[in-house]
Amino acid sequence: MKQNMVVDAPVLLTFCADFRRMRKWLKQSDAPLNFDNFMSFMIAAIDATLVSQNVAIAAEAKGLGLCYMGSTLANCDKIGEILELPEGVVPVVGYSLGYPAENSEIRDRLPMDGLVHHEVYQDQDDATIEAIYKQRETDGWARYMSYPDLKKMIEESDVENLAQVYTKLKYTRESHVDFSKSVLSYLEKQGFMNHD
Amino acid sequence: MKQNMVVDAPVLLTFCADFRRMRKWLKQSDAPLNFDNFMSFMIAAIDATLVSQNVAIAAEAKGLGLCYMGSTLANCDKIGEILELPEGVVPVVGYSLGYPAENSEIRDRLPMDGLVHHEVYQDQDDATIEAIYKQRETDGWARYMSYPDLKKMIEESDVENLAQVYTKLKYTRESHVDFSKSVLSYLEKQGFMNHD
C-alpha cells in the first residue's frame, strides 16, 4: 500500500489553515495583531477541513474519486517546504483526485450505535466494545492479509489481532509521538503558539 | 447576536474527537496503548469535522438549516462537563439544526483568487490584500451596523474599520490566548498530550 497515488493522480489538493492573509489585512488596517495562537490555528484547521469535505462531495458528485491522506498534517513541515508556505500557513488535510480506474467497495465501518450518543456520553462496557469491533476484527484482518506486503509484515511479526496490527505495526507510539512533536513545533514556527 | 439558537433550536449536534472506544479495544486486545498524543487528537478532530460536514450537507439537502458554533472547541471543557465526556473524548465542532424560519442571504465571501493557490503559495502583496478585502470591508461593516447592539458597541468604542472590529471587539488577543490555554489544558486532561 505505497502511496503512489500521490505521484500518479492528476491532481493533488492541499487545504491549509491560513491566517497569513488576514494578519496582513489587520496590519494594513492598524488593527491589533491577533490570530497567532493555538485557538486560531484550530479554527483555521477546522474551516480548512470543512471546505475540503465540501470540495470532496462536489467532486464525487461529478464522478471523481479521491483519497484523503493522513500524512498531510503528520508531514506538515515537509509539505510546507514543498508548497513554499510562509508564516501563518499550515497544511491540514489533502487528497489526490482523479477518475477512478475501479469502483471499490465501501470500507468496513463501525456500527452506528457505537458512534452516536444521545443527551450525554454513554460509556461502553467491555461486552459492548467487543460487539462494536467484532465485524471489523474479521473484515479488517482479512483486508490486511489480502495485501502481499502487509501479509508478509504481519507474518514476520508477533501480532495476533487487528488491534495489534494498528499499534505494533501501523501506528506505533514512537511514530505518533514524533509526529505530535513535529506538528507542535511547526505550529510554533508558523506563528500559532504565542500565548504570552 | 446572542446565541439563543442554542436553547431555541430543536436539535443540537456535537461532534467529538473520540479515542475512548478504540483505547478500550486496544486494552482488551492486549495491544500497545497509543493514541494518547496530540497527533491522535488532530486525526480524530479532523475526522469529526469531516463527519459534521457530511451530516450538514445531508441535512441541508433535506431542507434543514444549521448554524456552526465557534464556541464548541473554545468551550470544550464546559461542554465536556455537560455531555459527561470521559477521558479520550473532546468536543470539536457543533451546530444547531432545525427548519429555518427565514431564508437568509449567503454571507460575504472572499473572492476565490484570494483563496486558491496553484503549485506553490502565492504570497500576496499589499495591493492584492486590499483588493481581496475591499468588498468585505464595506459589506461586513454594514452588516455589523445593522445589529442594534453591535452598532452601539462599535459607536461607543474607538474602532474605525472592520479589521478593528474583529481584533478589538470580537476576537481579542486576551480571549484567544485564554481559549488556547484552556483547550490545550483540556487536551492534557483528556489524555492527548503524552509525549514522553
Side-chain angles (χ1 to χ4, degrees):
Chain A
M1 255 178 35
K2 296 274 179 297
Q3 292 202 320
N4 49 18
M5 59 184 182
V6 173
V7 283
D8 293 344
V11 177
L12 192 64
L13 293 180
T14 305
F15 298 85
C16 299
D18 185 352
F19 260 114
R20 173 115 182 139
R21 216 175 28 233
M22 182 171 253
R23 287 187 198 164
K24 283 189 178 184
W25 177 60
L26 290 178
K27 209 170 173 183
Q28 284 183 7
S29 311
D30 203 23
L33 295 181
N34 190 359
F35 308 127
D36 56 352
N37 40 56
F38 182 68
M39 187 70 224
S40 302
F41 165 70
M42 286 305 301
I43 291 168
I46 288 169
D47 282 353
T49 305
L50 294 174
V51 171
S52 80
Q53 189 61 3
N54 283 345
V55 175
I57 289 173
E60 286 182 337
K62 297 275 184 190
L64 287 154
L66 54 96
C67 184
Y68 271 96
M69 287 168 296
S71 52
T72 304
L73 184 66
N75 297 314
C76 58
D77 48 351
K78 295 184 196 79
I79 293 171
E81 211 169 301
I82 294 166
L83 301 181
E84 302 177 14
L85 302 183
E87 199 181 316
V89 190
V90 174
V92 178
V93 287
Y95 44 74
S96 53
L97 197 64
Y99 290 97
E102 56 186 33
N103 223 327
S104 56
E105 278 176 68
I106 289 178
R107 286 264 292 274
D108 41 314
R109 297 273 184 266
L110 294 185
M112 194 67 102
D113 61 4
L115 300 173
V116 180
H117 304 254
H118 297 273
E119 302 306 329
V120 295
Y121 195 92
Q122 310 297 330
D123 210 8
Q124 292 140 340
D125 61 20
D126 282 3
T128 310
I129 294 285
E130 235 182 279
I132 291 173
Y133 282 92
K134 199 173 165 29
Q135 196 63 37
R136 167 164 295 193
E137 284 271 7
T138 329
D139 295 355
W141 181 266
R143 188 158 53 79
Y144 283 125
M145 292 302 267
S146 74
Y147 297 109
D149 50 345
L150 279 176
K151 184 170 188 272
K152 189 162 177 280
M153 203 199 285
I154 290 170
E155 284 172 349
E156 287 171 356
S157 72
D158 62 342
V159 307
E160 288 168 347
N161 55 42
L162 188 66
Q164 293 180 9
V165 172
Y166 283 158
T167 55
K168 281 190 178 181
L169 299 180
K170 281 196 80 179
Y171 312 107
T172 64
R173 159 162 295 279
E174 294 67 32
S175 72
H176 265 44
V177 168
D178 281 355
F179 286 141
S180 299
K181 287 180 181 170
S182 76
V183 172
L184 285 167
S185 125
Y186 192 67
L187 291 187
E188 196 161 339
K189 186 181 168 217
Q190 296 303 79
F192 284 109
M193 288 302 235
N194 298 313
H195 300 156
D196 300 326
Chain B
M1 253 177 37
K2 296 274 179 298
Q3 292 201 319
N4 49 17
M5 58 185 184
V6 172
V7 283
D8 293 344
V11 177
L12 193 64
L13 294 180
T14 305
F15 297 84
C16 299
D18 185 351
F19 261 113
R20 172 116 183 140
R21 214 172 32 231
M22 182 171 254
R23 287 186 197 165
K24 282 189 178 184
W25 177 59
L26 291 178
K27 209 170 174 183
Q28 285 184 5
S29 312
D30 203 22
L33 295 182
N34 191 1
F35 308 128
D36 56 352
N37 41 57
F38 181 67
M39 187 72 225
S40 302
F41 165 70
M42 286 304 300
I43 291 168
I46 288 170
D47 282 353
T49 306
L50 294 173
V51 171
S52 80
Q53 189 60 2
N54 283 345
V55 175
I57 289 173
E60 286 182 337
K62 298 273 184 193
L64 286 154
L66 54 95
C67 184
Y68 272 96
M69 286 167 297
S71 52
T72 304
L73 184 65
N75 297 316
C76 58
D77 49 351
K78 293 184 199 80
I79 292 171
E81 211 170 300
I82 294 167
L83 300 181
E84 301 176 17
L85 302 183
E87 199 182 316
V89 190
V90 175
V92 177
V93 287
Y95 43 75
S96 52
L97 197 62
Y99 290 96
E102 56 185 34
N103 223 328
S104 56
E105 277 177 71
I106 289 179
R107 285 265 290 275
D108 42 314
R109 296 275 184 264
L110 293 185
M112 194 66 103
D113 61 4
L115 299 174
V116 180
H117 303 255
H118 298 275
E119 303 305 329
V120 295
Y121 195 92
Q122 311 297 330
D123 210 7
Q124 292 141 340
D125 61 19
D126 281 3
T128 310
I129 294 284
E130 235 183 279
I132 291 173
Y133 282 92
K134 199 173 166 29
Q135 195 63 38
R136 167 164 295 194
E137 284 271 5
T138 328
D139 294 356
W141 182 266
R143 189 158 53 80
Y144 284 125
M145 293 301 267
S146 75
Y147 298 109
D149 49 347
L150 280 176
K151 183 171 189 271
K152 188 162 178 280
M153 203 199 287
I154 290 170
E155 284 172 349
E156 284 171 357
S157 71
D158 62 343
V159 308
E160 287 168 347
N161 56 43
L162 188 65
Q164 294 180 8
V165 173
Y166 283 158
T167 54
K168 281 190 178 181
L169 299 181
K170 280 195 80 178
Y171 312 107
T172 63
R173 157 162 297 278
E174 294 67 34
S175 72
H176 265 45
V177 167
D178 281 354
F179 286 141
S180 300
K181 286 180 181 170
S182 76
V183 172
L184 285 167
S185 124
Y186 192 67
L187 291 186
E188 197 162 337
K189 185 180 168 217
Q190 296 303 79
F192 284 109
M193 287 304 234
N194 298 313
H195 300 154
D196 300 325

